[in-house]
Amino acid sequence: MLRQCSTYSPTEMTLANLLSESQIIPEMVAKERWQAIRELVDCLVASGKIDRSDEDAILESIRQREETMSTGIGFGIAIPHASSSKVGEVVAAFGRSSAGIQFDALDDEPVFFIVLFVVPKDQFQTHLRTLAAIAKFLNDKTVREELTKAENIPSILQVFENRSTRP
């Protein structure tokens, strides 16, 4: 019997699978939403996940999405995202700010954790699954506490890896 998309494999789309050390910013410089988005896109360029020549087009896609409604979802979390023909697979970057970033979040509170991701154009289901997986992961208060306490990039990545292996 063929089962098509009826179950969602936890190994399919987790932050542990999407992120490497070069895609994590342990202390962001940005103080506001647009600076933060640019800082994370720059991180993706530096890590080789996005071509520098595609940076402006990807930033514009994210800006268009962000202008419809802020992706600051509350609880100190923002998940800016977009679809783009400039990527062939889902790419993501994670940033943390101990000071907090003004992100026009839904609860008007500063954001401390940002996951920016870009999905290939016309992969709507992948886009939704990725967004849902990231939101569910970061909505866990224990995860946010562990990420706050993590002392460096390897320990941040370890939080993602530990959590992705739990049932």
Side-chain angles (χ1 to χ4, degrees):
M1 179 167 75
L2 183 65
R3 287 172 45 172
Q4 192 168 3
C5 298
S6 60
T7 59
Y8 175 66
S9 168
T11 58
E12 189 176 291
M13 199 61 65
T14 65
L15 284 171
N17 291 341
L18 289 175
L19 297 173
S20 66
E21 289 190 7
S22 66
Q23 292 158 261
I24 295 173
I25 303 172
E27 188 57 53
M28 295 189 70
V29 175
K31 301 293 180 227
E32 59 85 30
R33 174 170 48 162
W34 302 113
Q35 290 172 343
I37 289 170
R38 177 166 283 285
E39 190 173 345
L40 288 164
V41 170
D42 286 347
C43 177
L44 287 172
V45 170
S47 67
K49 295 293 181 178
I50 293 174
D51 288 334
R52 183 157 305 281
S53 62
D54 296 331
E55 184 175 15
D56 289 341
I58 288 172
L59 278 166
E60 182 56 29
S61 296
I62 295 168
R63 180 178 296 278
Q64 286 175 7
R65 165 61 192 88
E66 200 65 35
E67 286 177 350
T68 62
M69 187 170 89
S70 173
T71 55
I73 62 172
F75 303 104
I77 304 163
I79 312 173
H81 56 278
S83 296
S84 175
S85 60
K86 303 294 184 180
V87 296
E89 63 182 10
V90 179
V91 296
F94 172 80
R96 178 179 71 175
S97 170
S98 57
I101 296 170
Q102 293 308 314
F103 214 88
D104 297 326
L106 300 178
D107 61 2
D108 287 324
E109 294 296 321
V111 164
F112 301 96
F113 307 106
I114 303 175
V115 177
L116 179 143
F117 73 92
V118 183
V119 176
K121 201 107 177 131
D122 301 324
Q123 290 192 15
F124 186 69
Q125 290 301 319
T126 300
H127 195 137
L128 289 179
R129 284 196 307 269
T130 304
L131 181 60
I134 293 168
K136 182 179 179 187
F137 180 82
L138 289 175
N139 268 327
D140 184 332
K141 185 178 180 190
T142 306
V143 167
R144 294 193 308 273
E145 289 170 354
E146 289 175 10
L147 287 171
T148 298
K149 292 176 188 170
E151 295 181 10
N152 52 32
I153 291 173
S155 59
I156 291 171
L157 196 54
Q158 192 64 52
V159 172
F160 296 131
E161 289 169 357
N162 289 348
R163 287 294 174 154
S164 70
T165 58
R166 294 184 187 174

